[in-house]
């Protein structure tokens, strides 16, 4: 099948109300797009019958799910946010804040501060969810270009339609750079591990909430949807314990610092930092005769909305 997938995305001012979108300013370049165009709860009809067989159902609580990936790259200008960072607004991030030589992405304490409206195009199928919220996960693997994975849930204000693909206008941003010694630096407590891969998962879990008079997508704290699962995984060559050992920090759950920077030059950099990384127990494996460590981690806030510091520059 031809891959004619693309998306338009824009932050909402009022939850569930889609602003006007334009291809020239709102096209998002995505790949591996796997939408679920219409999801329902089924309410079986309960009328008694004198004969056996299946009963019809009423479809209720319609919503949409949109799962896709996108390249992680800079905008080309240190103080201009790359377009993919709009997806952060669906995951309890506030508006981007340009500074002198970078852009900061502040975290929020409530989902009330952010949601997206989308136009999703999959071949001739067009979907227009509003009130979109969900999770983002970032993947950095040596030798590969980095990417993000989105898993979004949205309202179903209108059923999908058949519409010929339009003419998306992709942002003129620099191409993604591969994760490498030249382009990437990574350190825990100032020690530069020999890194195979690094992932950051925002850990957001959504639920569809439907009441008479109002529907919305919420971050469900009963499912650890309020950043309690913020963390990820590190795969790296195990350092000589005589040089650097993390076992004591793991044993005592002593926090360590995280510093990650990807991008070769100004306008192409993505930074991730935390002062409270809690490593989980290490598992070992062999790679080309070298001992490798795999460690999951969580990022714990040091103050309100300082769980992780995300920047582009």
């Amino acid at each position: 099948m031809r891959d004619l997938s693309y998306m338009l995305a824009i932050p909402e001012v009022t939850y569930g109300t889609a602003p006007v979108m334009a291809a020239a300013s709102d096209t998002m370049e995505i790949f591996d797009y796997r939408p679920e165009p219409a999801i329902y709860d089924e309410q079986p009809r309960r009328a008694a019958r004198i004969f056996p067989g299946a009963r019809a159902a009423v479809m209720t609580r319609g919503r949409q799910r949109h799962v896709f990936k996108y390249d992680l790259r800079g905008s080309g200008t240190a103080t201009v946010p790359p377009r993919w960072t709009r997806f952060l607004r669906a995951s309890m991030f506030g508006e981007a804040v340009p500074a002198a030589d970078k852009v900061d992405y502040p975290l929020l304490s409530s989902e009330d501060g952010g949601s997206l409206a989308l136009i999703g195009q999959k071949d001739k199928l067009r979907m227009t969810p509003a009130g979109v919220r969900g999770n983002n996960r970032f993947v950095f693997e040596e030798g590969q270009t980095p990417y993000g994975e989105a898993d979004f849930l949205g309202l179903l204000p209108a059923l999908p339609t058949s519409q010929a693909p339009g003419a998306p206008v992709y942002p003129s941003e620099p191409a993604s750079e591969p994760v490498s010694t030249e382009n990437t630096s990574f350190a825990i407590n100032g020690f530069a591990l020999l890194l195979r891969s690094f992932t950051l998962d925002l850990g957001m879990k959504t639920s569809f909430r439907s009441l008479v008079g109002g529907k919305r997508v919420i971050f469900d704290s009963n499912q650890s949807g309020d950043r309690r699962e913020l963390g990820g995984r590190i795969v790296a060559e195990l350092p000589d314990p005589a040089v650097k050992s993390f076992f004591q920090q793991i044993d005592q759950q002593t926090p360590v610092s995280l510093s990650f920077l990807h991008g070769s030059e100004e306008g192409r950099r993505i930074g991730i930092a935390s002062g409270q990384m809690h490593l989980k127990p290490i598992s070992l494996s062999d790679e080309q005769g070298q001992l490798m460590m795999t460690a999951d981690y969580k990022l714990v806030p040091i103050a309100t909305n300082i769980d992780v510091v995300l920047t582009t520059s």
Side-chain angles (χ1 to χ4, degrees):
M1 180 178 179
R2 297 169 300 166
D3 186 3
L4 297 176
S5 299
Y6 66 91
M7 180 176 286
L8 275 64
I10 192 169
E12 294 178 331
V13 177
T14 302
Y15 181 78
T17 302
V20 176
M21 286 183 255
S25 58
D26 302 318
T27 301
M28 312 294 286
E29 194 168 0
I30 63 173
F31 60 100
D32 288 354
Y33 186 24
R34 305 185 306 280
E36 295 181 43
I39 305 170
Y40 300 95
D41 293 350
E42 293 189 26
Q43 172 63 56
R45 295 189 182 275
R46 295 186 287 254
R49 294 189 314 204
I50 61 171
F51 50 86
R55 285 170 169 77
V58 177
M59 298 297 178
T60 68
R61 297 173 177 163
R63 63 263 192 201
Q64 285 186 351
R65 185 179 179 213
H66 296 263
V67 179
F68 56 90
K69 298 176 183 176
Y70 52 91
D71 286 324
L72 296 175
R73 58 192 183 194
S75 68
T77 303
T79 55
V80 175
R83 199 171 290 181
W84 65 263
T85 59
R86 292 187 189 185
F87 293 137
L88 297 174
R89 295 299 305 280
S91 296
M92 285 177 65
F93 277 79
E95 293 184 18
V97 180
D101 57 353
K102 62 177 181 174
V103 181
D104 294 313
Y105 302 90
L107 291 164
L108 301 175
S109 295
S110 168
E111 75 270 11
D112 292 340
S115 59
L116 292 175
L118 306 179
I119 295 176
Q121 186 82 29
K122 184 76 171 178
D123 199 19
K124 293 184 179 180
L125 184 69
R126 175 158 292 196
M127 297 150 284
T128 55
V132 174
R133 289 172 173 151
N135 191 46
N136 284 276
R137 177 175 176 264
F138 307 135
V139 180
F140 300 87
E141 184 170 354
E142 192 277 332
Q144 307 293 322
T145 54
Y147 62 91
E149 298 178 330
D151 189 341
F152 290 166
L153 191 65
L155 307 179
L156 186 63
L159 292 175
T161 61
S162 176
Q163 186 166 333
V169 182
Y170 297 114
S172 57
E173 297 175 340
S176 299
E177 297 182 296
V179 178
S180 67
T181 302
E182 296 77 16
N183 299 329
T184 313
S185 63
F186 177 85
I188 297 178
N189 264 6
F191 184 82
L193 283 167
L194 299 179
L195 187 69
R196 169 61 63 208
S197 65
F198 168 68
T199 63
L200 173 66
D201 192 322
L202 300 183
M204 310 302 293
K205 294 179 174 61
T206 53
S207 294
F208 181 70
R209 183 165 173 78
S210 180
L211 299 169
V212 174
K215 299 177 181 179
R216 65 188 189 274
V217 175
I218 64 171
F219 294 112
D220 192 343
S221 59
N222 292 329
Q223 299 184 55
S224 299
D226 55 357
R227 291 205 298 272
R228 275 184 276 178
E229 298 301 319
L230 175 63
R233 174 170 290 182
I234 299 161
V235 180
E237 191 171 298
L238 184 73
D240 184 342
V243 177
K244 183 64 177 180
S245 173
F246 297 105
F247 293 106
Q248 184 174 6
Q249 285 95 339
I250 294 170
D251 181 71
Q252 299 179 4
Q253 276 299 279
T254 305
V256 295
S257 64
L258 162 69
S259 175
F260 178 86
L261 183 65
H262 175 71
S264 64
E265 59 188 11
E266 183 177 301
R268 307 183 77 171
R269 300 189 185 109
I270 301 168
I272 299 170
S274 173
Q276 291 255 35
M277 169 188 268
H278 288 248
L279 293 169
K280 297 184 179 182
I282 290 171
S283 62
L284 301 176
S285 61
D286 179 86
E287 180 186 285
Q288 295 177 301
Q290 303 298 313
L291 194 59
M292 302 291 289
M293 58 175 275
T294 298
D296 292 340
Y297 68 88
K298 280 189 177 182
L299 300 182
V300 177
I302 57 176
T304 302
N305 294 335
I306 308 179
D307 309 28
V308 63
V309 177
L310 178 64
T311 59
T312 56
S313 61

